[in-house]
Amino acid sequence: MIQQDIQLDENGRLRHFLTIEGLSRTLLTEILDTAESFSGVTAQSVKKVPLLRGKTIVNLFFEASTRTRTTFELAAKRLSADVLNLSLSTSATSKGETLLDTLHNLEAMHCDMFVVRHSESGAAHFIARHVSPHTSVINAGDGQHAHPTQALLDMFTIRRHKPDFTRLTVAIVGDILHSRVARSQIHAMTTLGVPEIRVIGPQTLIPVKPESLGVHVYHDLREGLRGVDVVIMLRLQKERMLGAMLPSEHEYFRLYGLTGEKLAVTKPDAIVMHPGPINRGVEMDSAVADGPRSVVLQQVTHGIAVRMAVMSMAMQRHPVGAGAGEK
Amino acid sequence: MKKLKLRIRNGRVIDPANNIDSVQDIFIAKGRIVALGKAPDGFVVEGEIDATNRIVCPGLVDLRVHLTEPGEEHKATIASETAAAASAGITSLCCLPDTTPVIDTPAVATLIYQRARQAGKAKIYTLGALTRGLAGDQLSEMSALKEIGCVGVSNALLPISNTLIMRRAMEYAATHDLTVFIHAEDPWLRNNACVHEGVISTRYGLYGNPAAAESVAFAQHVALIEELGTQAHFCHLSTARAVRMLGRAQYDGLAVTADVTAHHLHLTEMDFGLFNSMSHVRPPLRTQRDRDGLRAGVANSTISAVCSDHYPHESDAKLAPYSETEPGISALETLLPLSLRLVEDEVLSLNEMLARLTFMPADILGIKAGRLAVGDAADICIFDPAATWMLSADRMVSRGRNTPFTGWEFTGKVTHTLLDGKIVFGPKAVS
């Protein structure tokens, strides 16, 4: 079924950034290349470029977040935009004000971009469908659906270490079922040409019909890690014990926790990633988290450049020569 | 208004209950059918409807409609929705007890009958609540509900607290010879999910409602029915597995029937449309294999009725992130068109299709409707089987515009609806 992608404008340029699904390899590569050009900026002593001067960006967070919100804020400020941070607990909407009311009120203040995080899958699409034509929406995580900037900063990090996506074997370990990060990573990797993507976890944390996503399922960590180039560990939410999805953190760590010994079956130069925040001793032990193979802190740093790239491109102000201009 | 003596002239009269399918006239007096074919002696035609090239069939019987009055009049009213029913050829509809207040006392049922009479566009039958307040833990006063006219009992979409209460409610209903209308869905397996557990739930990160939520509850109910001998009807089946289990139960001689919604016979999980809240229904749209199983069940009459499961909503109810929207389709006006599509798709013949919209649902409800014999109430639907049209939300009669079928092209359009011999939809009779 062909669906008009609301993420793109009539010229095929990025207008909203809601999900990786449906975006081309060319566009994803363009975002990564643009981010590469910004990563120089963030390392300079004067860390600002004037690309979004005079623009107003609202961080609209309906769900708590430190890392994502902070890096979006930094990214916006380094692009010289004015930033408004709104942390609306869902109580703001339970006062009888609908999400749409909240949105229209903010729009009345002439904002140019919403960076949205919401606990419901599809919230970012919903908002994008209802904003006025000049406003852009960036999805900073919606329910269990998508977290596209996280996925791209992960791709950026992988590319820094392993430049050719088409030669990689990548394993994603843990709670795939509830993970918007995993969904977006899988779409990004299949689009960028990663030939083998494995998901590793107990059946209770793997969604049904995983093959429809283009991944191979492993229930045994050692088997799944054998020969991989990249290991992506997912965060385990504490509440998974309550729904009888897991017996205990202890057993989870024993089966799926990453240790130096288990890491030994990967390729010798395999990198270890985690979207954070890490539950040490649950998803991985500290020796791995702080060890030489871990690129967890690089992921955070790259988050700023990638978000600068996405924001500037969605505002149609991306640097000349980044690739999409010619028609 | 005085009821005219009417002649419906030259239409193709199809009445599956009486095996009628031929071009002939129908004569109506005092709200009843007085003759088919030849006018009775001394009959003076006071009004005539030309039904040349049209199909004349019994007014449709829709056995599953959510009334939003009393309680949710901001969505729709009895007057607005019975007008929509009339425009769609539906003359009898049966509403669920999940109004506010719930139909667990005769007073609420009486109010609904009264409003329906005032509106005068369609006959409303009611299901009484199976448990008090539909809370699932105390019996309702079923005897009183039956006396006031409830044609069955149901707990609507709400769960019964446990299987012991379920058993007792079924026994008590059997005591009063009331059919229990069952929404077969295990509340725990459902897990508050609003899409089918499958490729869509996996891809879009939504909780999935597994097919087992239906089959587990179905099996549990069948086991109780087998033991108690209760008359039971399964509402809006959504899975091929439940259809197979139903067929087996019928083969074993159990008094069980079932219906399916018109939309489950056409849509699948793939009609999710990237978080399009119009596809949010209960039970969820399932796989193509399920849809094919449901179609086969309708064709071989394991499933004996097709219903609308009409649920009109105000626009805000569908304007939210997917899981926060209200489930349901404003479906009265697509019941006949979608059913006629099954005939186009050669799932079953026109006569078989009309049977599942007329006397078969009427028999499930135990009401005298859905037939065109002499002496029957003149509840009649006349439609042009060749007229093509496109559904657009702003031309709907129902106050609920929530439908996933906007833009669909249909063949077959209702031109007249008669209720007790009175034209409640369509142009006046020519005198």
Side-chain angles (χ1 to χ4, degrees), chain A residues 21 120-121 129 183 208 212, chain B residues 202-203 205 207 274 320 323-324:
Chain A
E21 192 185 4
E120 286 292 336
S121 298
R129 284 192 182 117
R183 281 183 179 79
V208 298
S212 66
Chain B
T202 290
R203 178 159 293 251
Y207 285 106
L274 206 57
S323 305
E324 291 178 352

Side-chain angles (χ1 to χ4, degrees), chain B residues 207-335:
Chain B
Y207 285 106
N209 174 326
E214 182 165 289
S215 49
V216 164
F218 192 96
Q220 202 175 46
H221 282 95
V222 165
L224 288 172
I225 292 161
E226 192 164 17
E227 193 173 301
L228 307 173
T230 310
Q231 177 88 30
H233 176 79
F234 288 96
C235 305
H236 57 200
L237 294 186
S238 67
T239 63
R241 210 177 304 162
V243 178
R244 280 205 305 279
M245 294 162 85
L246 173 70
R248 207 167 306 151
Q250 289 172 342
Y251 179 81
D252 289 343
L254 302 193
V256 287
T257 52
D259 68 67
V260 62
T261 76
H263 48 266
H264 281 96
L265 293 170
H266 288 279
L267 304 178
T268 68
E269 58 178 340
M270 293 304 176
D271 292 292
F272 173 69
L274 206 57
F275 301 105
N276 176 6
S277 58
M278 294 306 175
S279 69
H280 182 190
V281 291
R282 257 186 94 181
L285 301 171
R286 300 202 185 265
T287 66
Q288 180 156 351
R289 192 172 294 182
D290 289 310
R291 189 195 66 178
D292 293 347
L294 294 166
R295 284 180 164 206
V298 171
N300 66 25
S301 75
T302 311
I303 296 173
S304 48
V306 175
C307 67
S308 72
D309 212 349
H310 179 65
Y311 206 147
H313 288 300
E314 77 282 23
S315 61
D316 281 349
K318 290 286 189 183
L319 284 176
Y322 197 87
S323 305
E324 291 178 352
T325 58
E326 292 185 50
I329 294 177
S330 177
L332 291 170
E333 290 156 78
T334 44
L335 177 61

Side-chain angles (χ1 to χ4, degrees), chain B residues 53-269:
Chain B
N53 295 326
R54 307 239 166 100
I55 288 168
V56 180
C57 66
L60 310 185
V61 179
D62 186 353
L63 54 65
R64 189 176 172 88
V65 170
H66 291 267
L67 277 191
T68 52
E69 179 180 4
E72 293 185 294
E73 289 86 349
H74 63 287
K75 292 183 185 292
T77 62
I78 288 172
S80 72
E81 300 319 284
T82 50
S87 77
I90 299 162
T91 51
S92 297
L93 49 88
C94 181
C95 77
L96 290 150
D98 59 350
T99 46
T100 316
V102 163
I103 308 179
D104 61 358
T105 61
V108 182
T110 306
L111 172 83
I112 290 169
Y113 299 143
Q114 228 166 40
R115 296 269 160 89
R117 257 199 313 278
Q118 279 165 6
K121 297 279 191 183
K123 293 169 185 167
I124 296 187
Y125 297 88
T126 56
L127 295 179
L130 183 67
T131 61
R132 193 172 297 180
L134 297 175
D137 40 41
Q138 279 180 288
L139 296 179
S140 65
E141 294 179 354
M142 292 185 212
S143 164
L145 292 170
K146 186 176 181 180
E147 269 167 41
I148 201 70
C150 292
V151 294
V153 283
S154 170
N155 221 54
L157 293 164
L158 294 158
I160 305 288
S161 306
N162 63 55
T163 39
L164 181 60
I165 289 169
M166 168 74 70
R167 179 197 155 136
R168 287 178 177 154
M170 287 170 81
E171 283 178 310
Y172 197 71
T175 308
H176 297 285
D177 205 17
L178 281 162
T179 303
V180 181
F181 285 70
I182 297 160
H183 165 68
E185 186 181 56
D186 182 278
W188 295 281
L189 285 171
R190 176 188 168 227
N191 196 22
N192 276 319
C194 52
V195 297
H196 173 66
E197 185 180 75
V199 293
I200 293 295
S201 67
T202 290
R203 178 159 293 251
Y204 295 104
L206 292 158
Y207 285 106
N209 174 326
E214 182 165 289
S215 49
V216 164
F218 192 96
Q220 202 175 46
H221 282 95
V222 165
L224 288 172
I225 292 161
E226 192 164 17
E227 193 173 301
L228 307 173
T230 310
Q231 177 88 30
H233 176 79
F234 288 96
C235 305
H236 57 200
L237 294 186
S238 67
T239 63
R241 210 177 304 162
V243 178
R244 280 205 305 279
M245 294 162 85
L246 173 70
R248 207 167 306 151
Q250 289 172 342
Y251 179 81
D252 289 343
L254 302 193
V256 287
T257 52
D259 68 67
V260 62
T261 76
H263 48 266
H264 281 96
L265 293 170
H266 288 279
L267 304 178
T268 68
E269 58 178 340

